[in-house]
């Protein structure tokens, strides 16, 4: 959703021209993969962190425009809802003390943004879904002012041809209709970016898919939506349902959803872009002046704007990214499975676990994806989203086992080895992966802390659900400011 959009409607001619241009970009991309030099000398990483704004009553604060205007910081941007912000953290290497630099920079940026938010009677919260959010908050009037969000909403709703229906079953059940994609604004996530060489991309994407369920189980932080306790990581199923362009008939025909885990292991990044073009009609038929064939013929670097825009409207949990920086093209895996929060240190512990484990698995002599079926990886992903850190997942040679045992016995040592391959300082490595280890030992992540706290407030203080959620979020915000890992937070 990162591209500004000025065009509000698209004609048949617009769509035909766009489709032709996307295919032309795809052909050029194929040529580049064979003959072009991509920037892959050093494995640069990046972070995008989505945030929520709340007011003094712990309710969503529809003030992102005011806060952004006061901030005047290009690293902060709007997101879908007026109660959302996003920070794009400067890319860097994680060798040496890279994670420590991330922590200092993110903490400083958030403190500065919070100071500005306070001027507008708001504060920032890093959390997967705001527990005080209600369906009354997720209406079209509360969509962010940038025109691209309304255009995208119109195109998705038009493609579907009817209202969205949310049906999520967990410990409690939510059923709700919505006439817009704004409920998707409830989903606030963190994205990890890893730059890789073209010849290595398939290994890193496959490895990322294989461990997606593990990541979600450990990092779940979204157990409540519209006052109901649903999945441990409700963000996953909500995102899948709130942006689904398919009516029931197309689902029955097996048409692919735009929020997509995928259906197979790949052999090249081209597989993913080709699937995008083959399976998904355009939502935003915006063409640019660049002729990628001419640019390539003249020795330049094509930006492939249409291909990139189309890729941005197919919501893979691990997304391929083609980008150009300083005149050189590069490829990235964008890992999108985790919620925001609970703290900066928790977030960076999740990052360290992901970067370390994915590198070790991607460069292993016997790839994990030759031992794990793709359907098992997808099943692990949705089981983990539902059950969180209490999940039992399937893993080669181990069969089905508790995810905490799997991480402690099998995967955490691999994450250590992977961070060593990156050259991460041992003290930084030990500190961050120690958070993951303790989280597994305590079997407590953000989702567990939230549900246990609400249960204690309902039981011990006789609060109703709405009051308990508000008090829980207030305590969550206080704990978050201390930046101590969530497994150490007190209950009650």
């Amino acid at each position: 959703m990162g591209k500004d959009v000025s065009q509000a409607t698209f004609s048949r001619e617009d769509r035909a021209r766009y489709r032709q241009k996307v295919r032309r970009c795809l052909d050029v991309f194929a040529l580049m993969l064979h003959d072009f030099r991509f920037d892959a000398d050093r494995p640069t990483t990046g972070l995008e962190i989505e945030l929520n704004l709340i007011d003094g009553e712990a309710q969503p604060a529809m003030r992102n425009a005011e806060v952004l205007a006061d901030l005047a910081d290009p690293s902060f941007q709007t997101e879908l809802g007026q109660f959302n912000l996003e920070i794009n953290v400067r890319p860097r290497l994680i060798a040496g003390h890279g994670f420590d630099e991330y922590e200092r920079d993110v903490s400083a940026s958030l403190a500065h943004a919070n100071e500005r938010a306070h001027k507008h009677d708001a504060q920032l919260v890093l959390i997967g879904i705001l527990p005080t959010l209600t369906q009354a908050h997720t209406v079209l009037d509360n969509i962010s002012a940038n025109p691209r969000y309304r255009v995208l909403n119109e195109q998705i709703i038009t493609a579907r041809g009817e209202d969205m229906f949310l049906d999520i079953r967990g410990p409690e059940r939510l059923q709700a209709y919505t006439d817009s994609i704004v409920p998707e604004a409830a989903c606030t996530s963190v994205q990890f970016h890893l730059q890789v060489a073209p010849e290595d991309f398939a290994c890193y994407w496959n490895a990322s898919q294989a461990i997606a369920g593990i990541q979600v189980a450990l990092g779940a932080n979204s157990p409540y939506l519209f006052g109901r306790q649903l999945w441990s990581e409700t963000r996953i199923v909500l995102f899948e349902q709130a942006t689904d362009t398919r009516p029931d008939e197309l689902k029955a025909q097996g048409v692919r959803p735009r929020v997509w885990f995928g259906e197979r292991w790949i052999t090249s990044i081209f597989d993913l872009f080709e699937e995008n073009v083959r399976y998904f009609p355009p939502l935003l038929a915006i063409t640019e002046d660049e002729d990628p064939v001419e640019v390539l013929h003249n020795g330049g670097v094509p930006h492939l704007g249409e291909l990139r825009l189309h890729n941005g409207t197919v919501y893979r949990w691990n997304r391929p990214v083609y980008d150009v920086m300083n005149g050189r093209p590069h490829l990235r895996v964008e890992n999108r499975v985790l919620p925001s929060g609970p703290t900066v240190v928790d977030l960076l512990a999740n990052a360290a676990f992901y970067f370390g484990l994915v590198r070790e698995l991607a460069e292993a002599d016997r790839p994990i994806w030759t031992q794990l079926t793709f359907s098992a990886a997808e099943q692990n992903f949705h089981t983990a989203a539902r059950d969180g850190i209490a999940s039992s997942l399937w893993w080669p040679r181990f069969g089905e086992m508790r995810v905490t045992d799997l991480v402690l016995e099998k995967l955490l040592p691999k994450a250590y080895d992977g961070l060593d391959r990156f050259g991460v300082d041992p003290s930084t490595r030990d500190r961050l992966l120690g958070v993951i280890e303790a989280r597994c030992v305590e079997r407590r992540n953000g989702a567990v802390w939230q549900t246990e706290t609400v249960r204690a407030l309902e039981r011990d203080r006789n609060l109703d659900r709405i009051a308990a959620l508000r008090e829980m979020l207030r305590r969550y915000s206080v704990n978050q400011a201390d930046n101590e890992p969530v497994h150490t937070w007190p209950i009650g």
Side-chain angles (χ1 to χ4, degrees):
M1 294 186 185
K3 182 180 176 64
D4 287 339
V5 174
S6 57
Q7 190 172 347
T9 60
F10 306 103
S11 66
R12 286 180 296 178
E13 291 77 10
D14 290 333
R15 294 186 183 279
R17 184 167 53 250
Y18 180 82
R19 181 175 278 108
Q20 183 181 30
K21 189 73 177 291
V22 167
R23 293 185 180 278
R24 190 172 178 86
C25 288
L26 186 65
D27 291 341
V28 169
F29 186 56
L31 294 173
M32 294 179 68
L33 289 174
H34 283 101
D35 302 327
F36 220 86
R37 177 170 173 78
F38 284 77
D39 186 3
D41 299 334
R42 298 186 296 174
T44 303
T45 67
L47 298 177
E48 295 177 70
I49 306 169
E50 295 171 359
L51 317 162
N52 287 286
L53 290 168
I54 61 172
D55 62 21
E57 299 299 317
Q59 299 297 309
M62 308 298 170
R63 297 171 197 150
N64 67 356
E66 295 93 326
V67 174
L68 283 171
D70 206 351
L71 265 172
D73 182 344
S75 65
F76 283 87
Q77 300 176 359
T78 59
E79 262 298 328
L80 180 60
Q82 291 182 24
F83 54 94
N84 301 142
L85 294 174
E86 180 181 80
I87 177 173
N88 295 292
V89 186
R90 182 178 61 82
R92 69 199 67 203
L93 301 174
I94 55 173
H97 293 279
F99 281 115
D100 300 320
E101 294 169 9
Y102 266 134
E103 187 168 359
R104 285 194 295 270
D105 287 357
V106 172
S107 297
S109 293
L110 294 179
H112 176 60
N114 230 345
E115 177 187 327
R116 298 307 173 105
H118 288 160
K119 294 171 61 178
H120 302 279
D121 299 317
Q123 69 178 89
L124 303 178
V125 180
L126 298 165
I127 196 167
I129 293 176
L130 270 181
T132 55
L133 194 73
T134 68
Q135 196 169 358
H137 294 124
T138 57
V139 294
L140 200 54
D141 285 346
N142 289 334
I143 201 168
S144 286
N146 192 310
R148 71 175 181 258
Y149 298 119
R150 287 189 180 271
V151 174
L152 188 64
N153 175 74
E154 290 165 6
Q155 295 303 310
I156 289 177
I157 294 299
T158 299
R160 183 177 174 88
E162 59 189 38
D163 286 353
M164 304 286 187
F165 180 56
L166 305 179
D167 186 4
I168 307 174
R169 307 181 191 196
E172 298 167 6
R173 185 177 185 181
L174 172 69
Q175 291 182 299
Y177 283 94
T178 175
D179 61 358
S180 74
I181 64 169
V182 181
E184 190 271 318
C187 305
T188 41
S189 62
V190 59
Q191 290 100 47
F192 303 142
H193 291 254
L194 180 60
Q195 184 176 315
V196 295
E199 62 271 19
D200 297 329
F201 186 92
C203 293
Y204 275 86
W205 188 85
N206 289 342
S208 296
Q209 291 286 99
I211 65 172
I214 311 294
Q215 289 181 267
V216 170
L218 296 183
N221 193 33
S222 313
Y224 293 101
L225 175 64
F226 300 162
R228 310 286 177 83
Q229 183 185 346
L230 302 170
W231 289 17
S232 291
E233 190 47 46
T234 306
R235 198 183 103 264
I236 300 297
V237 64
L238 174 60
F239 193 32
E240 290 174 343
Q241 293 186 12
T243 52
D244 197 342
T245 58
R246 306 166 303 160
D248 290 342
E249 294 81 1
L250 291 185
K251 294 178 188 178
Q253 293 174 36
V255 172
R256 278 87 174 170
R258 293 195 90 98
V259 179
W260 199 29
F261 188 80
E263 59 191 18
R264 63 185 176 115
W265 306 118
I266 64 169
T267 58
S268 166
I269 187 175
F270 184 81
D271 296 347
L272 301 177
F273 281 100
E274 192 274 334
E275 284 180 348
N276 289 354
V277 175
R278 178 154 45 105
Y279 293 144
F280 299 100
L283 288 179
L284 304 173
I286 302 169
T287 54
E288 300 181 1
D289 293 335
E290 176 189 78
D291 182 341
V293 174
E294 182 179 344
V295 172
L296 188 65
H297 179 74
N298 292 333
V301 179
H303 282 258
L304 307 181
E306 293 80 7
L307 190 69
R308 293 163 65 191
L309 175 60
H310 190 54
N311 183 52
T313 63
V314 179
Y315 304 104
R316 296 177 184 272
W317 293 109
N318 284 291
R319 177 185 277 166
V321 176
Y322 166 85
D323 207 349
V324 181
M325 292 293 292
N326 301 320
R328 293 190 67 185
H330 69 263
L331 305 177
R332 305 194 302 269
V333 178
E334 181 186 13
N335 178 255
R336 302 160 47 84
V337 305
L338 285 176
S340 193
T343 63
V344 173
V345 72
D346 280 306
L347 187 153
L348 290 173
N350 291 338
F353 181 72
Y354 168 71
F355 288 131
L357 182 57
V358 79
R359 180 159 188 177
E360 187 67 13
L361 293 179
E363 299 181 7
D365 292 335
R366 186 182 178 194
I368 188 65
W369 53 96
T370 66
Q371 308 167 62
L372 179 71
T373 66
F374 196 89
S375 60
E378 183 175 16
Q379 180 63 44
N380 281 348
F381 180 65
H382 286 98
T383 297
R386 186 186 66 238
D387 299 337
I389 206 164
S391 300
S392 291
L393 306 181
W394 196 91
W395 199 253
R397 296 194 337 206
F398 285 77
E400 189 171 298
M401 66 183 301
R402 294 199 320 186
V403 67
T404 48
D405 294 338
L406 174 62
V407 170
L408 291 171
E409 296 173 19
K410 176 76 172 177
L411 301 183
L412 202 54
K414 292 184 180 297
Y416 274 91
D417 292 342
L419 292 183
D420 288 342
R421 287 178 185 252
F422 277 110
V424 174
D425 177 79
S427 62
T428 301
R429 175 203 65 197
D430 294 350
R431 179 174 69 93
L432 293 177
L433 292 185
V435 171
I436 300 297
E437 180 179 7
R439 201 186 293 167
C440 289
V441 170
E442 298 292 332
R443 304 191 75 195
R444 179 179 294 171
N445 57 14
V448 171
W449 184 88
Q450 288 188 53
T451 54
E452 288 185 352
T453 300
V454 168
R455 194 174 300 122
L457 290 167
E458 290 176 331
R459 181 188 64 239
D460 300 337
R461 293 184 51 182
N462 201 30
L463 297 182
D464 63 22
R465 174 60 58 83
I466 300 304
L469 289 173
R470 187 182 305 119
E471 175 61 16
M472 180 270 285
L473 183 56
R474 187 193 65 78
R475 296 182 183 188
Y476 182 104
S477 300
V478 171
N479 288 324
Q480 185 172 92
D482 293 335
N483 198 31
E484 294 295 330
V486 70
H487 70 268
T488 67
W489 292 6
I491 302 293

